[in-house]
Amino acid sequence: MPVFGDTTELHPVLAEFLSDVDPKLLDEGWGFEVAKGVEYGGQTDQSMVNHVRNGVFALSRLNEVAPTFGAYELTDSELRQATALFVIHDLHKYRDDETTARSEYDIDKDEVESLVNAVGVDEFAPSLRTEDFHACAVDHENSWKSNPEQSTRTYDRLRPFVRLADAFASCETPESAASERNERSLDEAYPGADLELRTHILDDVKGIFTNLLNGVVSRELDECAGYELLLIYQDGCVYVADAEEPDPTVDAMLIEELYGRLTDEIGDAHPAYDDRQRLAENLSVQSQGFYTINDQDFFYAGAANILLAVTVKAVQDADPDSDPTESMRETMELLNERLPIEIDATTRVAPGYSRLAYTIKRSFVDPLVDEGILDEDALTATCRLFGLGEEITEALKELRDDEDVSLTAGGKWDYGYAIGQHIANTVRKEGWSPAAEHIAEYLLERFEDAAPNWQETVMAEHAGEFETELTAYLADVLRVDGRSVDRRQNNQITDPYEEHHATRRGKTCTFCNRGTTSGRKSDMKAPKSLTTFQAGYSNRIPADAGKPEKLLACIPCQVEFSLRETGTTRREAGRLFIHLVPDYFYTPTMWSLYADEMFARFTGEAMTRMGRLASAVFDATDRNTADTLAGESLATVIREATRAEDEGGRSMVEQLSQEFDPDAGFGTRTLSFYKPLDNETEFQFFGVFLGLSIAAAMGTRVYISQSPLPNLRGRDFQTMAKLDAGFTRVTDFYGQEIALSVLRERLGAAAALIQLGYEQARDDARFPKYLRVTRNKPLPGSYLLKQAARNADDGGAPQYLLEEAEYLDHHASERSRTTSRLTSTNNE
């Protein structure tokens, strides 16, 4: 069964590869076989299946963009043949016997034919002969070790494309993908076409925001320099370009273009930013009688959309069936004695609309008055905006000057009750239904008449600092083809060391330790409502401890957290974060496939049944399970981690970018893990198990952390998985860094432990005890199985867990031997 689902939109060759060949690679165990890794001279881990996927998809993408530059385009038949050949090109790495470098390509035809039949490439490309596959297996590497004398005419023709696919599939970073070696491979595959490889790199990774920046930079480079996107990494992209075209100038002008594109596109990246109902949900009511609007929302949605959202919220709060508080009633009765308008003091209609008036005054009118665009005072300008008559307006101004009446005590603005009643009267008189839409249209027209450029002024007030810091951030982190903005043009960001050193409590970001463009701490105090300030972790202190509202965050981090607030549904404290890193890259087609078919399953409604997930993981990792195919088991792992709500389980994991348009940005994905906490050890054990299971099934590398932002980029660690420093109690079992060569064993042992533990009792709180058993008992599986038999009602041993017990025993002995080897080495 394919791990990927619907492939109808793919190129026919790719669709057939994924449906007919890819599952057989998984069944052969290639998801856990090492193509590149720490065992091969310290290279970054990459599985055989991902090595094949990367090469196949990179070749297909090259074949798609090459004709743009006048290069040769492979026919569907040739692409199919090259794909089939590439699938078996690393046969020598799949052999169980130990071979020397000099003999690793001594492969006979029977061995090739056996693999060809096993993975089904003979049916995928029936025009190829065994001799063609054999020629590829012994001659795909351009070195003295290969055997070119055994080549065929068909393979001679396709060899440059197989080697090109292999070259790209092995590149750990964008820089290595654009190396001279790959340039030469490109020239050999496309002679006569002057193609070159280009890159952009982002030196900082946050998450959704980084993905959006990748998309923005990619589209800008396409328009200004004709760069065709080829490969997508976590922190940058690789392009194909015409060597004769001039390179883009990396200067302040490019940064301004990128920022302008970002502000234009970010509002379209998520439906919530154009949905007044959903924007209204982000508004919180203050006791003083106004709505708090996050400046981030102005940045994403624009001033007009925010005004619409405020109107929606106010109409909802203007409830004729709710009674006002005593304070509200007293104030409205006082105004009735002094104003030529009758305010209904028996309901919350006027107070609800009063919030609209006060919010519009604070967030929209005040900036226009402060800039002199409106030449009246704020009270008069607000009354004019809402269409109050001269008599009422003058009466309110007289109240303002009356020393015996205080309508602004404690930060309130109780003039709004009169404006609120006027709005209610207008709605009733005009028959406005729905009221919110008509009120918003009325206000927008009045703003346009009074100040045609009002939106620019309002945006500058609320998002002006965003432009200053984000342009400086872009200039600081972006490199295009190794070039960055001249430091002399971009010295706005403070030096984080100097700031911290000089002030002891410096103006540096709590989460990423970056400096800022502002010298004021007030600019870095993000709203407490942001997802990870309310529930998460910083690299200094837990954000849900002490006074999280005092945490300081740079504007790029504020933007990231605000994006996540839009893209998630969970707000619980104490989550773990699963940062999924591509292995090594995605092509645009691969990214769409993962986004639509894989990542999209991790919504707020996704449910997980941990016991059944453990069973599925064990089937996928147990080499002795003959009756279950690995590909089907890995597909089951994804299903068990993301079941529908009506199929049972608990909501444990979700992605942080739900409903964001995957075409708007690309690079990586972060999932959050949450479950009721019995104790920290069991919470981390299950969180790591779920994170590793998902990463293994999806074919990604993973960094599991308590930090919402990845403290490490994928390029900063070489193993398939890495746990951050906060997992000290479970690293004895999993390891701090988990190489691909031991991932199968560690996952299988964890799955076995869960099943044996659940056989005792469905009590997660017991797992610290079970972990101690794996550490202290020489045969922990047998010990737990014996305990389960003792606790069984009939006194019989649960026969169905014998394999799990044996697996866990093997894991313990392997860990013991590894520890002994390390101890011996250290003693020597």
Side-chain angles (χ1 to χ4, degrees), residues 756 759-760 782-793 795-798 801:
L756 287 165
E759 186 66 24
Q760 321 275 333
S782 298
Y783 177 86
L784 291 173
L785 187 64
K786 184 177 181 180
Q787 291 292 103
R790 285 178 177 174
N791 296 334
D793 294 337
L801 291 176

Side-chain angles (χ1 to χ4, degrees), residues 445-602:
E445 289 177 5
R446 302 283 290 191
F447 268 119
E448 290 295 332
D449 292 340
N453 296 322
W454 69 275
Q455 292 195 54
E456 287 81 354
T457 303
V458 171
M459 288 295 291
E461 170 68 20
H462 297 287
E465 185 63 31
F466 280 68
E467 179 174 3
T468 300
E469 186 156 332
L470 288 177
T471 52
Y473 172 79
L474 268 172
D476 189 48
V477 303
L478 175 65
R479 289 183 286 120
V480 179
D481 303 328
R483 305 187 309 278
S484 59
V485 175
D486 191 327
R487 293 287 179 182
R488 291 170 293 183
Q489 300 180 37
N490 184 49
N491 56 2
Q492 296 173 283
I493 295 181
T494 58
D495 183 280
Y497 173 78
E498 290 298 329
E499 284 291 308
H500 190 73
H501 176 73
T503 64
R504 293 191 179 181
R505 183 177 171 84
K507 292 173 274 299
T508 59
C509 178
T510 308
F511 289 86
C512 69
N513 288 333
R514 293 182 60 83
T516 70
T517 58
S518 172
R520 301 184 303 273
K521 286 186 178 179
S522 59
D523 292 333
M524 300 183 69
K525 291 181 179 178
K528 187 178 178 180
S529 64
L530 292 185
T531 300
T532 319
F533 285 85
Q534 187 174 335
Y537 169 87
S538 79
N539 57 15
R540 299 179 193 167
I541 58 176
D544 53 344
K547 297 182 178 180
E549 68 275 9
K550 291 191 175 181
L551 290 175
L552 304 181
C554 64
I555 283 178
C557 279
Q558 291 183 35
V559 170
E560 174 64 25
F561 290 127
S562 185
L563 291 168
R564 294 183 181 193
E565 187 177 44
T566 301
T568 57
T569 58
R570 305 203 74 104
R571 298 290 185 271
E572 293 88 354
R575 290 173 292 162
L576 297 183
F577 296 89
I578 303 165
H579 306 287
L580 298 173
V581 181
D583 177 26
Y584 299 135
F585 57 78
Y586 303 114
T587 66
T589 303
M590 288 174 71
W591 170 257
S592 296
L593 194 63
Y594 271 81
D596 294 339
E597 292 294 323
M598 306 290 276
F599 298 130
R601 306 182 194 192
F602 295 93

Side-chain angles (χ1 to χ4, degrees), residues 749-762:
L753 180 62
I754 291 171
Q755 293 183 86
L756 287 165
Y758 279 169
E759 186 66 24
Q760 321 275 333
R762 290 272 172 173

Side-chain angles (χ1 to χ4, degrees), residues 161 212 242 279 323 339 495 647 677 710 815:
F161 296 99
L212 293 175
D242 189 334
L279 283 172
D323 297 328
L339 298 176
D495 183 280
E647 295 181 305
L677 181 68
R815 295 284 287 173

Side-chain angles (χ1 to χ4, degrees), residues 180-364:
E180 291 185 9
R181 170 177 175 266
N182 284 12
E183 292 272 12
R184 290 194 297 271
S185 297
L186 199 65
D187 290 340
E188 291 176 10
Y190 299 103
D194 205 359
L195 305 181
E196 289 193 356
L197 298 169
R198 297 285 183 262
T199 65
H200 90 252
I201 309 295
L202 297 174
D203 286 333
D204 183 57
V205 170
K206 300 195 181 299
I208 305 172
F209 185 50
T210 306
N211 286 358
L212 293 175
L213 286 182
N214 271 334
V216 164
V217 174
S218 174
R219 286 183 285 276
E220 182 64 26
L221 293 177
D222 179 31
E223 288 188 11
C224 74
Y227 283 17
E228 287 285 349
L229 179 60
L230 178 61
L231 309 177
I232 299 166
Y233 287 81
Q234 179 192 27
D235 55 358
C237 296
V238 179
Y239 306 89
V240 178
D242 189 334
E244 296 182 356
E245 292 294 323
D247 294 328
T249 302
V250 184
D251 57 9
M253 185 176 295
L254 175 63
I255 299 301
E256 289 295 331
E257 290 293 329
L258 292 172
Y259 178 80
R261 181 182 284 273
L262 176 66
T263 56
D264 289 341
E265 294 183 4
I266 199 168
D268 297 327
H270 196 283
Y273 298 136
D274 195 34
D275 186 332
R276 64 193 71 176
Q277 296 287 344
R278 297 177 69 168
L279 283 172
E281 295 174 3
N282 291 345
L283 303 176
S284 55
V285 181
Q286 297 301 307
S287 59
Q288 293 90 341
F290 63 89
Y291 299 122
T292 297
I293 309 171
N294 291 339
D295 287 343
Q296 291 86 355
D297 286 338
F298 275 99
F299 174 67
Y300 305 136
N305 277 334
I306 295 298
L307 186 146
L308 295 173
V310 172
T311 307
V312 168
K313 181 70 171 173
V315 170
Q316 293 170 352
D317 291 344
D319 186 359
D321 297 323
S322 297
D323 297 328
T325 66
E326 187 63 23
S327 175
M328 291 177 181
R329 185 183 58 77
E330 290 177 356
T331 303
M332 289 188 283
E333 289 177 350
L334 170 65
L335 292 173
N336 280 337
E337 296 173 1
R338 304 289 297 271
L339 298 176
I341 186 174
E342 185 65 28
I343 302 174
D344 181 2
T346 65
T347 71
R348 289 209 180 198
V349 173
Y353 285 129
S354 174
R355 292 172 180 171
L356 169 64
Y358 192 9
T359 305
I360 294 297
K361 181 261 179 191
R362 282 174 54 91
S363 298
F364 295 82

